[in-house]
Structures are given as structure tokens and as C-alpha cells.
Amino acid sequence: SLLTNKKIDRHFANYYMDNMPIKYFASLTSEMIAKHLSLATELDLKSVASNFSRSDKSGYWELSVCTKGKIGTFSKISGILSARSMNILSAQVYSGKDGLAINTFQVTQLENTSFEETELFPKIAKDFEDILSLKTDVQDIIKSRRLSIGGKLQGETLIPTTVIVNNEASENYTVLEVVFQDRLGSLYLLTKTFYELGMNIINAKISTDGKRGFDVFYVSNPDGTKIVDETKLTTIKSSIEKSLE
């Protein structure tokens, strides 16, 4: 039951259940949903709530980030993780009817890096709060870490970027499928482009297979409508391709 935590108000729990899409409940375990519900109760006091948990079976960290959805939030979170040398294996985005955003990431540390989780995770949580409360900019954090975001390695065979736009798969949203060469910061650069074009990410499924990234995004215009303007769709495709060169 989602109400095993006695501190969570039953009315809020019912509101949360009604607020989130069916796909959210079909995709996650009741234990994970309960964690998200607990995080959502913290948003009265701060702009973002997050939680790290270790998956011993899979060997990665599961990160959940709960925030009040604004265009660009997913991009900023991805940028922070890259700046902190975290490798994003996969990620999911779920949006509630009221704009609540639940972002889940499966991450590992980059090769040739090591970290003390008791030190790093509080720093990442502070980065989230500083960025999403507009105290600082994600680009400043990336610059301070002196990282080459999206940089191509010498001798690397590049997987060409492919962008498929599908306006038939969803009644309400435009679906973008993107295949690309996965490198540090690729997800940040990709979703930063969405932000710059004024696109809202409603749902997303991020996955990697070796150096190949395959991401699916359900997106909309800022007013929540499907993107149907052919000129804008052409601009979206070319901008995505350029961002991942």
C-alpha cells in the first residue's frame, strides 16, 4: 500500500494517484511509486526533492527527482548529472495533470572516476535545488567542472544521428525518436535543444546500448498542443542533429 508511511495524508495520496498517468503506474513498482509520493510531499517546502538508491542486482544507482514541471527542467537535471561525472544509462519522465514532474534515472559513475556517495549525492541534491530555484545556471556548473560535454573522442566511429517525427502514434503529443552517438552530456545537449525551441517534454524513455543512444520523447508546444507546423518540425530535426554533431 502507498499509505504504509503514516506521515502521508490520505487525501494527498488519492490526489497523487488521480494526477499521474496510467503509463506511470504500469511502468513502476509500488515501492518506487511510494518513494515518489513521499518526495512529492516535500515540494511544499522546496522546489525539488530527490532520492538515490542502490540497485545491487543491476549495479547502478536509481535516482528519482520530483519537481513542479517547467520547460527545461529535465535538461538541467541531465546537465548536472553529466557535470558530476555520472553516466546516464537510462531515464524516464512522467508528467502529472497539474504539471508535477517525476524524473527517474539509472546511473553509474564514469570510467576512471570514483566518488564517495556520502559526499557526492548531497552535492548533487544541492545542485538540483540551486539550479531549479534559479540561484545558479547549469552551464556555470559544467564550466566549473572543466568537462568536455559532448566531445568526440579521437578515433571514435560516429553513429549518425537519426530523428523520426511521428504525429500519428499519440492523439495529444508529437513523438520524437532519436538515435545518436552516446557521449558524456549527450542527453543534456539534446534536451537543452528542446528547451531552446520551446518544447515541453511530457513523457520520455531514454536508453543506451553501448555507445548507441535511443531516446523516445512525447513533446508538445508550450501551450500543451501537438506540434504540427511543418516548418517548426523541420527546424526541430535539424537543430537536434546539429546539437549532437
Side-chain angles (χ1 to χ4, degrees):
S1 170
L2 297 183
L3 291 175
T4 52
N5 185 341
K6 302 298 183 183
K7 295 180 181 178
I8 296 178
D9 178 75
R10 180 177 294 274
H11 294 293
F12 181 79
N14 289 335
Y15 172 81
Y16 183 88
M17 297 284 285
D18 181 62
N19 185 46
M20 300 304 292
I22 293 174
K23 181 182 288 187
Y24 170 76
F25 297 102
S27 304
L28 299 172
T29 64
S30 58
E31 180 184 15
M32 187 60 69
I33 293 168
K35 284 184 181 179
H36 296 165
L37 175 59
S38 180
L39 289 176
T41 64
E42 299 178 29
L43 295 184
D44 285 340
L45 303 175
K46 51 188 179 180
S47 58
V48 58
S50 59
N51 170 268
F52 273 97
S53 59
R54 179 77 175 182
S55 174
D56 294 326
K57 184 187 297 184
S58 304
Y60 58 70
W61 288 95
E62 183 90 31
L63 167 64
S64 297
V65 186
C66 179
T67 185
K68 292 166 184 173
K70 295 178 182 176
I71 291 179
T73 295
F74 185 71
S75 173
K76 292 174 181 177
I77 294 170
S78 302
I80 290 167
L81 293 176
S82 295
R84 291 293 181 183
S85 299
M86 303 300 289
N87 182 35
I88 301 172
L89 301 176
S90 56
Q92 302 78 36
V93 179
Y94 306 97
S95 300
K97 298 172 188 173
D98 65 354
L100 178 72
I102 302 292
N103 304 279
T104 61
F105 297 82
Q106 293 73 44
V107 301
T108 59
Q109 65 188 99
L110 290 176
E111 292 180 10
N112 303 318
T113 64
S114 60
F115 63 85
E116 180 58 53
E117 60 201 56
T118 55
E119 294 180 5
L120 180 61
F121 294 160
K123 288 180 181 177
I124 292 177
K126 185 178 185 304
D127 286 343
F128 290 157
E129 182 65 34
D130 288 347
I131 292 297
L132 298 180
S133 63
L134 305 180
K135 291 180 182 177
T136 188
D137 188 89
V138 67
Q139 289 280 16
D140 294 334
I141 293 178
I142 291 171
K143 287 176 183 176
S144 71
R145 303 284 294 169
R146 298 178 181 176
L147 292 173
S148 175
I149 295 295
K152 182 181 177 182
L153 298 177
Q154 191 170 5
E156 184 179 49
T157 302
L158 191 66
I159 296 171
T161 300
T162 304
V163 183
I164 298 174
V165 178
N166 188 333
N167 262 328
E168 306 300 323
S170 170
E171 181 180 352
N172 300 313
Y173 307 114
T174 297
V175 180
L176 297 176
E177 297 180 5
V178 188
V179 178
F180 58 95
Q181 176 82 25
D182 185 49
R183 298 188 293 262
L184 176 65
S186 293
L187 183 58
Y188 166 64
L189 295 173
L190 174 57
T191 53
K192 178 172 173 281
T193 300
F194 290 6
Y195 170 63
E196 291 169 345
L197 292 173
M199 295 159 58
N200 193 21
I201 300 172
I202 307 301
N203 286 298
K205 185 174 182 181
I206 312 302
S207 56
T208 56
D209 180 9
K211 291 295 183 181
R212 179 179 179 271
F214 178 68
D215 300 349
V216 180
F217 300 90
Y218 286 70
V219 298
S220 72
N221 288 306
D223 61 1
T225 58
K226 183 182 287 191
I227 305 169
V228 294
D229 182 84
E230 289 297 331
T231 301
K232 183 166 185 179
L233 290 173
T234 300
T235 299
I236 289 170
K237 288 185 68 173
S238 62
S239 297
I240 289 173
E241 291 167 355
K242 185 176 181 181
S243 73
L244 296 173
E245 285 179 349

